[in-house]
Amino acid sequence: MAHPGIRSIHKEKTDAAEAIRIIREAGGKSFFAHPFQMEYATFPDQPSRIEQELRFVVSQLAAFGLDGLECYYPTHDQSMTDFLLNLADENGLLASIGSDDHGPGARKVKRIHGFGVDIDLERLRWVETL
């Protein structure tokens, strides 16, 4: 259980360009995680609208120096994964994988070995160069 004082910690928001700059200066790589879980994804009956919004957001983030896009995620179906892989390629971004595996209490679908999509391990070889 979280400590009650945790909620009282003041958080400052940082814009995307500044966050990407800070990550890069620290020697890290910046990734856009959970792209289908953003606010614009509240249009499940309008997939083309979501894709348009994602294309715009990712192109803007890439212009700021974003390094990669989380393309493989356990709740994505193959068409979502394919869309994100193509979007990463169009913007010169690396592809990453996310599990959201937070330990024994994690839902089965989100555990590291619970993926329902095929993963092209060649797309993840960039990790070996870190």
Side-chain angles (χ1 to χ4, degrees), residues 4-23:
I6 297 294
R7 293 179 186 257
S8 65
I9 294 173
H10 176 71
K11 298 176 189 174
E12 291 187 31
K13 293 186 178 190
T14 302
D15 68 48
E18 179 69 359
I20 291 167
R21 184 190 66 74
I22 291 168
I23 292 167

Side-chain angles (χ1 to χ4, degrees), residues 23-36:
I23 292 167
R24 178 158 289 165
E25 284 183 6
K29 293 202 178 291
S30 57
F31 282 80
F32 180 13
H34 315 312
F36 279 109

Side-chain angles (χ1 to χ4, degrees), residues 32-42 47 50-51 54 69-71 73 75-77 79-84 87:
F32 180 13
H34 315 312
F36 279 109
Q37 294 180 16
M38 303 303 292
E39 289 179 18
Y40 50 73
T42 57
I50 295 168
E51 290 178 3
L54 272 171
L69 182 62
E70 186 179 66
C71 299
Y73 193 71
T75 58
H76 291 176
D77 62 27
S79 66
M80 294 165 83
T81 300
D82 291 343
F83 171 77
L84 293 172
L87 190 56

Side-chain angles (χ1 to χ4, degrees), residues 16-33 61 64-70 92-97 123-130:
E18 179 69 359
I20 291 167
R21 184 190 66 74
I22 291 168
I23 292 167
R24 178 158 289 165
E25 284 183 6
K29 293 202 178 291
S30 57
F31 282 80
F32 180 13
L61 293 172
F64 294 146
L66 184 73
D67 293 299
L69 182 62
E70 186 179 66
L93 301 174
L94 300 170
S96 72
I97 185 172
R123 300 285 309 228
L124 304 174
R125 291 265 183 246
W126 62 267
V127 174
E128 295 173 355
T129 65
L130 296 178

